[in-house]
Amino acid sequence: MNVMVVGSGGREYSIGRVLSQDEAVEKLYFCPGNGATGTLGENIAIKDYNELADFASENAIDLTIVGPEAPLTEGIVDIFKAKGLTVFGPSKEAAQLEGSKVYMKNFLAKYGIPTARYVETDHIDTAFKFIETLPVPVVVKADGLCAGKGVIIAQSHDEAKKAVSEMLSGKAFGDAGKKVVVEEFLDGYELSMFAICDGKDYILLPAAQDHKRLLDNDEGPNTGGMGAYAPTPLVNDEIYEKVKARIVRPTLDGMQAEGAPFEGVLFIGLMIVNGEPLTLEFNVRFGDPECEILMPLLKTPASELFYKGATKQLDTLNVEFSNQYAVGVVMASRDYPYKSSEPAEIVVDETVHDEIAKYTHISYAGVSEEDGKLYATGGRVLVCVGLGDTIREARDRAYMLCGQVHYAGKKLRTDIAYQAL
Ligand code: AMP
Ligand code: GLY
């Protein structure tokens, strides 16, 4: 079949990478892709979703997989479906699970799905009153998408009130902050789980752990994620079962009842508090860099998984995962996450080491290509992925590969997967 991947990051590269090795895939397109996806398939530069859907029809694309949240919340799936195309991802309405924190929290409350206690409001007095009832820290969230910056963990009531005022006035995030969620702080450990959904059935992937802070020991500012590994031993069967029964099943049933069945990847951000999983957030797409370590663990052909996900056939799929571990270490550019950096040429040493050749690979993200050379141009440049029979082995291999990749300003954490070791 012919497949198109929408997006340009390491997440989309990693999906494309497994598709490029998939015998069922004939032609592979990326829109827009990045400087490295051109080696896996063909990059297309079409911005308008209607035009892109026409391109998909004209080029007999059998399946389109949408990576990032922006096109999903903008309704790309609805546009493709209206033209009779097969597309994997949620509708605009279902994408509100990520696009609006107010929608998400009210949905969780309506269907009794465990989450932090909260109020959602556009009235400053209501927010202030609730803040007074909470112990510190207090969590304040802007309703809309704010590129990962819309969540404030306030260390005092005054700081929480200031955050609310700045959001509601539009000063902090414009319209995305015109409504807020104020909620209790949950103290536990964070996990990411991913369910591939077809509206009624789902497949839960091995649990992953991301590393959001820039620096070792979880210090420094928040980032999109500096590394991840899976499966994590922080999840046992009991937690998997609770997540399925209390969160994923009621979410799929609830979205069906709302008339917005959820198709696509449900990314469940969890806080485990005293062994109980609570929903921190939903995203409606794969995490990045989580996707880069989950894709290589998939033994079932990716085209089959996503095609069945897009055509309500997951109940007929017997999905298989490798029994290995995967560790991904993000390499970022010098000034990430503060500002963009000068482009820097990427040089990868020639591999002489068997272990590196066999058990590692690079997933490229913020890169551009010129005259056959790759340049680091984005904040998160690439992910070095290592596979192994233990987390330690996978991690050691990932770091071996990191040692072979060079560019000016290369920046990485040295402790990815520490919580599992
Ligand atoms: P969100 O975008 O809602 O996932 O929030 C971003 C990050 O803020 C999460 O990954 C958590 O680390 C943190 N966070 C969000 N809500 C809470 C909460 N209620 N308690 C503790 N930490 C939170
Ligand atoms: N790695 C977290 C995210 O993609 O949002």
Side-chain angles (χ1 to χ4, degrees):
M1 66 172 102
N2 300 327
V3 185
M4 177 160 70
V5 180
V6 176
S8 64
R11 167 179 48 210
E12 289 76 29
Y13 182 97
S14 71
I15 294 171
R17 184 179 163 274
V18 291
L19 290 170
S20 72
Q21 299 165 349
D22 184 331
E23 280 170 11
V25 177
E26 284 160 48
K27 189 113 181 74
L28 182 59
Y29 297 91
F30 294 87
C31 180
N34 63 39
T37 53
T39 61
L40 302 173
E42 187 181 332
N43 286 349
I44 307 294
I46 299 176
K47 290 212 174 84
D48 181 83
Y49 302 144
N50 274 297
E51 275 177 45
L52 189 61
D54 291 339
F55 175 88
S57 300
E58 286 154 18
N59 290 276
I61 291 176
D62 302 287
L63 171 65
T64 298
I65 301 165
V66 185
E69 62 275 22
L72 293 168
T73 53
E74 286 158 15
I76 189 172
V77 165
D78 309 70
I79 291 171
F80 271 59
K81 283 193 172 167
K83 297 194 190 237
L85 292 159
T86 301
V87 53
F88 180 71
S91 66
K92 183 174 181 172
E93 199 182 344
Q96 288 185 86
L97 283 181
E98 173 164 1
S100 165
K101 293 205 188 282
V102 167
Y103 178 94
M104 191 257 322
K105 292 293 286 192
N106 289 343
F107 173 82
L108 294 177
K110 180 168 175 186
Y111 292 97
I113 300 167
T115 188
R117 282 193 305 125
Y118 75 104
V119 295
E120 53 90 356
T121 183
D122 53 7
H123 284 293
I124 201 157
D125 295 343
T126 312
F128 279 18
K129 251 190 216 145
F130 188 63
I131 287 170
E132 290 293 344
T133 69
L134 293 174
V136 287
V138 171
V139 183
V140 179
K141 302 182 174 183
D143 177 35
L145 291 179
C146 305
K149 298 196 175 72
V151 176
I152 308 289
I153 314 278
Q155 298 302 329
S156 67
H157 285 161
D158 283 346
E159 191 188 335
K161 289 178 181 172
K162 186 163 167 263
V164 165
S165 310
E166 289 183 357
M167 286 183 195
L168 290 181
S169 68
K171 195 170 133 200
F173 302 110
D175 282 350
K178 288 278 169 80
K179 269 191 173 180
V180 295
V181 169
V182 179
E183 67 180 31
E184 66 176 339
F185 179 81
L186 299 174
D187 197 4
Y189 61 90
E190 262 186 271
L191 291 175
S192 325
M193 289 222 209
F194 298 88
I196 306 286
C197 305
D198 70 2
K200 56 185 185 14
D201 292 297
Y202 67 92
I203 286 162
L204 198 59
L205 304 184
Q209 200 175 31
D210 187 14
H211 299 63
K212 289 239 170 78
R213 302 291 204 97
L214 181 69
L215 305 173
D216 284 5
N217 303 314
D218 295 325
E219 287 171 8
N222 261 321
T223 69
M226 292 300 291
Y229 68 95
T232 167
L234 299 175
V235 178
N236 53 26
D237 287 346
E238 198 185 327
I239 293 181
Y240 271 114
E241 290 313 315
K242 284 180 182 169
V243 170
K244 285 184 188 175
R246 297 181 190 172
I247 299 175
V248 188
R249 188 73 264 165
T251 296
L252 287 191
D253 292 348
M255 290 302 280
Q256 270 190 307
E258 295 296 307
F262 189 87
E263 300 174 17
V265 180
L266 183 68
F267 169 155
I268 309 147
L270 292 165
M271 189 73 88
I272 311 295
V273 184
N274 302 320
E276 301 300 323
L278 293 151
T279 314
L280 273 186
E281 64 164 338
F282 282 140
N283 294 312
V284 297
R285 37 98 192 160
F286 271 119
D288 192 343
E290 291 96 324
C291 188
E292 287 92 317
I293 50 139
L294 290 171
M295 286 300 105
L297 293 177
L298 193 62
K299 278 174 82 182
T300 304
S303 63
E304 192 182 347
L305 175 65
F306 293 124
Y307 189 80
K308 289 200 160 164
T311 53
K312 300 187 176 53
Q313 298 184 73
L314 285 180
D315 58 337
T316 68
L317 182 70
N318 210 343
V319 73
E320 272 190 274
F321 300 103
S322 142
N323 46 27
Q324 288 197 303
Y325 292 87
V327 174
V329 179
V330 170
M331 292 180 45
S333 55
R334 184 174 43 225
D335 296 324
Y336 182 72
Y338 306 105
K339 55 184 170 89
S340 52
S341 312
E342 288 284 296
E345 188 185 341
I346 302 170
V347 176
V348 182
D349 294 340
E350 223 157 283
T351 297
V352 282
H353 206 298
D354 239 19
E355 233 180 299
I356 298 184
K358 263 199 202 146
Y359 300 109
T360 70
H361 64 266
I362 297 174
S363 234
Y364 287 99
V367 298
S368 63
E369 188 262 346
E370 217 182 299
D371 298 331
K373 288 181 182 168
L374 279 184
Y375 293 84
T377 43
R380 290 186 294 168
V381 175
L382 55 86
V383 185
C384 288
V385 179
L387 297 168
D389 293 332
T390 61
I391 292 178
R392 188 173 295 279
E393 189 176 53
R395 188 196 64 160
D396 290 348
R397 287 169 173 164
Y399 277 110
M400 261 192 249
L401 180 59
C402 290
Q404 295 207 314
V405 181
H406 315 278
Y407 55 88
K410 143 180 169 180
K411 179 143 114 188
L412 69 163
R413 272 180 70 156
T414 64
D415 65 347
I416 299 306
Y418 78 92
Q419 288 193 58
L421 294 172

